[in-house]
Amino acid sequence: MARYKALSAELDPCARQLAERLRGLKDHGELTTRHLAAKTGYSAKSWERYLGGTSLPPREALEALARITGADPVPLLALHEIAADTWDSRRTRTPAEPVTPIGPAASPVAAPPTAAPPAPAPAPGRFPHIALAAGVVALSVALLAALLLLLRLDEDASHAAVAAPPATTATSPPPSYTCRISRVDGRWSAGLNKGRNDEIVYGATGADVAEAQCLLRRAGISPGGIDGMFGPLTLRAVKAFQQRSGLVVDGMLGPRSWKALRG
């Protein structure tokens, strides 16, 4: 089982529960983030953020994860809907700290020092110095207001960058396979790989894997979907078939396993 960083204590309970569910499905399916990226179209970095609770996954990613692990997507989508509301509220509250107006009633950062008790009226010759000091104070307040505005805009942009859905590279949809089980020259065939018996192992993809998945299903052992991906569910099905057929249980489909599958 993968070791994860502890989820943030500030994470909303629904978002926390959703992240824990994602971790459980990933571990149960013995998947890595690279497997998730290959099977869902969302990058490994994106899955690291989803599993770490630092980014809320889109609904499509949850549906893809449920599909490849054989899980019911409804509870995941229900958690996602609740977590999305609280997630958006938290994003709104985080940068929106109360901003006090710049001027006499400003916050301690922007407010000038507390004025001393009124002093006696200055002599006429000191008025230019008072005007100069007032101008400097006004300029300082204006500069400080501009600086606070820039900092706030930068903070808003940073939060938007963190919370924005990850950009995913366009990927072509996976090929569709249909099992057409028949007997050809006394051997079972699904009609997908022209009767090839090439060795395939965990992580392989393509028509050879889809052929094996069809034949496993014909033998009464479910490999999950017929998707042409040699993932955890297909691996378990291969091992179960090898054990039932008295073969070496190594999870690899070699000539002997193919021969047994084709009957």
Side-chain angles (χ1 to χ4, degrees):
M1 184 179 294
R3 297 181 62 184
Y4 301 101
K5 292 183 179 179
L7 295 171
S8 172
E10 299 179 357
L11 198 60
D12 177 80
C14 290
R16 173 183 292 274
Q17 187 176 356
L18 179 60
E20 291 172 349
R21 287 280 186 92
L22 298 184
R23 292 179 176 186
L25 290 175
K26 172 182 173 295
D27 293 340
H28 181 72
E30 299 177 2
L31 299 166
T32 65
T33 52
R34 294 181 62 184
H35 291 147
L36 291 175
K39 292 175 180 290
T40 66
Y42 289 82
S43 68
K45 290 292 185 183
S46 297
W47 278 108
E48 289 175 4
R49 291 194 293 270
Y50 304 156
L51 296 168
T54 60
S55 184
L56 192 65
R59 292 172 58 91
E60 292 77 6
L62 299 179
E63 292 171 347
L65 178 60
R67 183 175 63 252
I68 65 177
T69 57
D72 183 4
V74 174
L76 295 177
L77 295 176
L79 277 176
H80 178 275
E81 185 174 354
I82 300 173
D85 292 338
T86 56
W87 193 280
D88 290 339
S89 298
R90 187 183 65 160
R91 284 172 50 197
T92 303
R93 290 195 304 268
T94 300
E97 294 295 336
V99 178
T100 54
I102 301 301
S107 64
V109 174
T114 304
R126 298 186 62 186
F127 279 122
H129 298 285
I130 295 176
L132 178 60
V136 171
V137 171
L139 179 60
S140 300
V141 170
L143 291 175
L144 183 56
L147 178 60
L148 289 174
L149 179 60
L150 289 174
L151 290 176
R152 184 183 177 191
L153 291 175
D154 183 65
E155 185 179 6
D156 289 344
S158 299
H159 282 287
V162 171
T168 56
T169 56
T171 57
S172 58
S176 176
Y177 298 100
T178 302
C179 300
R180 297 182 176 87
I181 302 296
S182 62
R183 293 284 281 182
V184 179
D185 297 331
R187 303 168 65 210
W188 288 109
S189 170
L192 296 175
N193 74 341
K194 300 180 180 180
R196 291 193 301 270
N197 293 336
D198 297 340
E199 182 178 280
I200 54 176
V201 297
Y202 182 80
T205 60
D208 289 344
V209 179
E211 175 89 4
Q213 290 172 331
C214 291
L215 296 177
L216 285 166
R217 180 173 289 181
R218 188 209 68 81
I221 302 175
S222 175
I226 309 301
D227 55 6
M229 296 183 180
F230 201 139
L233 298 179
T234 301
L235 177 63
R236 290 174 185 167
V238 170
K239 289 183 177 180
F241 178 79
Q242 289 174 330
Q243 185 174 15
R244 190 179 75 181
S245 302
L247 301 171
V248 175
V249 182
D250 55 8
M252 297 187 297
L253 272 174
R256 292 185 179 180
S257 295
W258 275 113
K259 182 177 179 182
L261 275 175
R262 296 194 184 280

